[in-house]
Amino acid sequence: MKPTRIWKCRNADCRAWVREEFATPNQACPLCGGPMLRSMKHLPPLQNKVKARAKS
């Protein structure tokens, strides 16, 4: 687990959040459409695994 920057919904009734690297400019909540707030969360690191393409 490592500290990760996220965007979380400001609406107290909504629990949505998005990793910063997947956020868009002027990020709106993907569930309720409300405003988002920058925050931190301890998450497992992402691993970019690219599947090898079969050679033809």
Side-chain angles (χ1 to χ4, degrees):
M1 303 294 255
K2 72 175 205 172
T4 305
R5 292 181 181 157
I6 64 165
W7 285 89
K8 67 178 184 178
C9 185
R10 287 187 179 182
N11 183 352
D13 297 329
C14 184
R15 298 183 55 138
W17 59 272
V18 179
R19 286 181 186 254
E20 187 173 64
E21 58 264 30
F22 298 120
T24 59
N26 302 319
Q27 179 71 39
C29 177
L31 298 180
C32 72
M36 301 286 279
L37 172 71
R38 273 193 175 150
S39 186
M40 296 290 283
K41 190 174 191 117
H42 282 83
L43 301 169
L46 289 179
Q47 294 180 3
N48 292 333
K49 292 184 180 181
V50 178
K51 293 183 180 180
R53 297 182 89 189
K55 293 183 180 179
S56 302

